C-alpha cells in the first residue's frame, strides 16, 4: 500500500469538548512509514480552554490544518429586535493580534508548534474579522498580515504580496490545497449566500 492510498485524515473539531475523556488521550498506533497523518480543526476560541490539544498531540500528526475561524476576532452583542439581526462588531487589528498571541501561548498549541508537525492554515469570516465579511472589509490587509504572522509565514512569501491567503503544500501522500473562504467573495456573493441559508 502506498503513502497516497494509506493517508489518514482525521477530523478534530476544537469546539467540541464532549470528545475529551477523564482518562486522557489514547495514543493511536501508527505503522512507521505507512501513512501521513493529517489532523484539522476550525471554529476555535482562543480564550476558551481548548481541551482537545492533548488528543491532537497523542495522535502525533504530520500536519495540522487550521480550516478557518481559527480565532473569533469579531464580536456579537445579542439581537437587534427591531431588525431581527445580530449586532456584530468587526474585529480591530489590535484585537486580532491579542487573540492570535493568546492562541500561540496556549500550552497545548505551543506543544504542537514545538513538534515536527507542519502547520497549514486558511481563514474564514471570523478570523478575517467580520461575520460574513467579504473582500470589501476595510481591515482586510491588516487582518491578512495578522493571520500570516500567526501562521509564521515568511516575510517574503507570495502569500504576503497577494490578495488572499490561499496556498498549496506538498506533504507525503496526496497534495493539500489550502483554499479561501468567505473573505475572497464579493459583497454580492456574500448576500446571496446569506439569502440561501435563510430558506
Amino acid at each position: 500500500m502506498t503513502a497516497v492510498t494509506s493517508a489518514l485524515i482525521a477530523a478534530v473539531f476544537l469546539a467540541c469538548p464532549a470528545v475529551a475523556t477523564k482518562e486522557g488521550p489514547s495514543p493511536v498506533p501508527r505503522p512507521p512509514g505507512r501513512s501521513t497523518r493529517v489532523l484539522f480543526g476550525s471554529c476555535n476560541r482562543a480564550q476558551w480552554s481548548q481541551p482537545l490539544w492533548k488528543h491532537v498531540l497523542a495522535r502525533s500528526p504530520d500536519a495540522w490544518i487550521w480550516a478557518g475561524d481559527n480565532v473569533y476576532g469579531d464580536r456579537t452583542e445579542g439581537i437587534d429586535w427591531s431588525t431581527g439581526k445580530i449586532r456584530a462588531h468587526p474585529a480591530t487589528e489590535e484585537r486580532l493580534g491579542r487573540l492570535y498571541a493568546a492562541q500561540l501561548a496556549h500550552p497545548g498549541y505551543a506543544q504542537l508548534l514545538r513538534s515536527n508537525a507542519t502547520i497549514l492554515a486558511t481563514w474564514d469570516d471570523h478570523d478575517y474579522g467580520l461575520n460574513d465579511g467579504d473582500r470589501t472589509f476595510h481591515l482586510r490587509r491588516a487582518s491578512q498580515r495578522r493571520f500570516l504572522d500567526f501562521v509564521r509565514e515568511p516575510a517574503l512569501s507570495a502569500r504576503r504580496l497577494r490578495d488572499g491567503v490561499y496556498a498549496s503544500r506538498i506533504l507525503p501522500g496526496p497534495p493539500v490545497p489550502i483554499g479561501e473562504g468567505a473573505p475572497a467573495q464579493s459583497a454580492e456573493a456574500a448576500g446571496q449566500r446569506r439569502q440561501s441559508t435563510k430558506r
Side-chain angles (χ1 to χ4, degrees), residues 128 132-138 140 163 182-190:
Y128 179 61
D132 292 335
D134 59 39
R135 61 184 173 205
T136 64
F137 181 46
H138 70 285
R140 178 183 176 96
D163 288 336
Q185 67 188 350
S186 66
E188 180 181 340

Side-chain angles (χ1 to χ4, degrees), residues 33-103:
R34 300 255 343 237
S35 64
T36 299
R37 184 165 289 153
V38 179
L39 302 173
F40 58 96
S42 65
C43 304
N44 179 59
R45 301 279 184 161
Q47 62 275 34
W48 289 6
S49 65
Q50 303 176 34
L52 290 182
W53 287 117
K54 62 185 174 187
H55 299 278
V56 169
L57 292 162
R59 284 154 178 81
S60 302
D62 295 300
W64 170 260
I65 299 177
W66 284 111
D69 293 340
N70 313 316
V71 298
Y72 278 67
D74 55 340
R75 297 177 296 113
T76 58
E77 290 182 6
I79 296 176
D80 179 343
W81 295 107
S82 66
T83 63
K85 294 183 179 181
I86 294 175
R87 289 187 190 113
H89 301 280
T92 63
E93 185 177 0
E94 294 74 24
R95 178 173 166 78
L96 285 169
R98 284 193 309 272
L99 290 170
Y100 284 133
Q103 186 59 49

